[in-house]
């Protein structure tokens, strides 16, 4: 039985938590994948990344975060779309702004994934960080 789009979305979050390599993450994405991160406390103007940049940023993130956790509060899958309400937390491996290494960042996130050929082709994030 083939995995559903929701199964793939949840595998993606679990892989990020484990610190998966780009070799493990890349097969979850369509080669034309694009991620749009809407403006938030870390990226004031938001950002748009292609697959290559997303995978590079996952690797960079491993130097910034000692660990991260995704707790799915709710999910909705319909056709080629998956919507996730996620509580994210990350423990800093290095200082960030006024925060010391070891401090925890938290955000409530809306993640909207679109699939093509069973793989993620677009991801839109609305990340609401707690004050830090």
């Amino acid at each position: 039985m083939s995995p559903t789009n929701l199964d793939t979305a949840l595998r993606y979050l679990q892989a990020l938590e484990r610190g998966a390599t780009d070799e493990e993450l890349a097969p979850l994405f369509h080669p034309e994948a694009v991620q749009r991160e809407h403006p938030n406390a870390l990226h004031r103007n938001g950002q748009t990344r292609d697959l290559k940049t997303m995978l590079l940023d996952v690797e960079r993130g491993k130097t910034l975060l000692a660990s991260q956790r995704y707790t799915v509060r709710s999910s909705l899958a319909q056709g080629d779309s998956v919507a996730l309400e996620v509580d994210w937390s990350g423990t800093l491996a290095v200082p960030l702004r006024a925060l010391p290494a070891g401090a925890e960042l938290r955000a409530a996130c809306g993640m909207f994934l679109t699939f093509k050929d069973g793989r993620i082709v677009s991801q839109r994030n609305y990340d609401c960080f707690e004050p830090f």
Side-chain angles (χ1 to χ4, degrees), residues 37-110:
E37 183 177 347
H38 290 271
N40 60 60
L42 287 179
H43 300 284
R44 176 179 220 118
N45 297 316
Q47 58 184 340
T48 300
R49 300 181 273 206
D50 62 10
L51 179 57
K52 181 180 177 183
T53 306
M54 284 190 316
L55 295 174
L56 287 171
D57 284 351
V58 167
E59 289 304 311
R60 280 188 215 124
K62 291 177 188 179
T63 64
L64 299 173
L65 295 173
S67 65
Q68 61 181 328
R69 177 136 175 89
Y70 294 84
T71 303
V72 177
R73 290 181 156 274
S74 64
S75 61
L76 179 63
Q78 183 176 6
D80 290 332
S81 298
V82 173
L84 301 169
E85 179 185 11
V86 176
D87 288 334
W88 174 85
S89 61
T91 303
L92 292 173
V94 297
L96 175 70
R97 299 181 185 165
L99 297 175
E104 187 172 71
L105 295 175
R106 294 176 189 245
C109 307

